[in-house]
Amino acid sequence: MSATSTTSRLRLLVPGVAIAALLAVLALALPRASADALAAPATHARHDGHGGHGGAVATVRLPHTAAQLALHDQMRRLWEDHITWTRLAIVTFADGSAGFSPTAARLLRNQGDIGNAIKPFYGDAAGKQLTALLRDHITIAVEVLQAAKAHDATAFASAKARWYANADDIADLLASVNPRFWPQSMMRADMREHLDQTLAEAANELAGDYAGSIADYEQVHTHILAMADLLSSGIIRQLPGRVG
């Protein structure tokens, strides 16, 4: 799907919706947690990546060479772009700003940037597949919001299920190319946490709870940096000869 068609679909979600009703539907997608839990700093427990799932924290290897540092910084920049352009899309959508369409297009471009980043290590096919899945990650999110706007609980449940299934597909692709350091259960948990946090951020922004939305974004930011570090470290540890 092109950036133009996607942003055209997003423009259908314009102001004028009943924010309270929208939030009531979005709330169905959020995990059952207290307001205090949502406001608390994100924790990032990880498995050790060696087949054990007893709650051990994964080892994230810090970069030691110029090439490793470059990969570490690139992965952080790409995933920070992902959450930054997502936030700007949420804010411009909530405000009805004319900047929404180009922001959404830039967000879609980021998905290609992330897919291209893994091509040197896992090949063109894996990179293209990751890009396609990440683009679906964005476009299915549109469907979630469209269903919320229409107060269509059936469509909302369907879109939500497909959005989380897509998150699992992204996690499974990453796990398939690096199962030792990106185990499936850990990657699935990371992707689902990303969706949960983004939904909370959007719901608060649409409700006009800007302080809450900012607090949610801080959680999104903390989590995505940890995830980016896991990805760069996993490549370095799996392919030391490629990132010397």
Side-chain angles (χ1 to χ4, degrees), residues 78-223:
L78 289 172
W79 286 98
E80 281 190 306
D81 277 356
H82 182 80
I83 62 165
T84 298
W85 291 113
T86 294
R87 175 154 184 81
L88 288 170
I90 290 169
V91 170
T92 53
F93 164 70
D95 289 345
S97 167
F100 175 75
S101 183
T103 298
R106 179 61 180 83
L107 172 59
L108 282 173
R109 196 177 91 197
N110 170 254
Q111 316 318 308
D113 294 339
I114 294 173
N116 288 337
I118 73 163
K119 287 182 180 180
F121 309 104
Y122 302 114
D124 286 350
K128 289 177 180 178
Q129 186 179 358
L130 181 58
T131 292
L133 288 171
L134 286 169
R135 284 180 173 270
D136 288 343
H137 167 66
I138 302 302
T139 58
I140 297 172
V142 176
E143 296 181 36
V144 172
L145 292 176
Q146 286 175 325
K149 176 189 174 184
H151 314 301
D152 187 335
T154 300
F156 181 86
S158 173
K160 174 191 168 186
R162 285 184 289 110
W163 199 36
Y164 278 78
N166 166 260
D168 285 345
D169 288 342
I170 293 169
D172 292 351
L173 172 62
L174 293 171
S176 73
V177 297
N178 193 346
R180 182 178 181 187
F181 299 113
W182 300 340
Q184 182 189 56
S185 61
M186 182 171 69
M187 300 313 297
R188 284 192 170 199
D190 269 333
M191 284 301 304
R192 285 172 173 258
E193 184 173 352
H194 174 57
L195 266 58
D196 291 343
Q197 291 174 338
T198 301
L199 280 169
E201 178 189 357
N204 277 325
E205 187 71 24
L206 288 167
D209 181 359
Y210 304 119
S213 176
I214 290 168
D216 293 330
Y217 177 74
E218 296 291 357
Q219 290 195 37
V220 169
H221 198 177
T222 297
H223 174 259

Side-chain angles (χ1 to χ4, degrees), residues 6-97:
T6 299
T7 53
S8 295
R9 291 172 62 195
L10 285 167
R11 277 199 175 281
L12 297 175
L13 306 173
V14 164
V17 300
I19 294 301
L22 177 61
L23 286 173
V25 182
L26 280 175
L28 298 174
L30 297 177
R32 295 184 179 275
S34 67
D36 289 343
L38 283 175
T43 58
H44 205 66
R46 295 186 179 280
H47 304 308
D48 59 14
H50 296 282
H53 300 287
V57 176
T59 300
V60 173
R61 181 169 297 173
L62 296 176
H64 294 293
T65 69
Q68 292 174 4
L69 181 61
L71 177 62
H72 169 271
D73 291 351
Q74 177 195 33
M75 204 61 69
R76 280 194 160 212
R77 178 182 59 78
L78 289 172
W79 286 98
E80 281 190 306
D81 277 356
H82 182 80
I83 62 165
T84 298
W85 291 113
T86 294
R87 175 154 184 81
L88 288 170
I90 290 169
V91 170
T92 53
F93 164 70
D95 289 345
S97 167

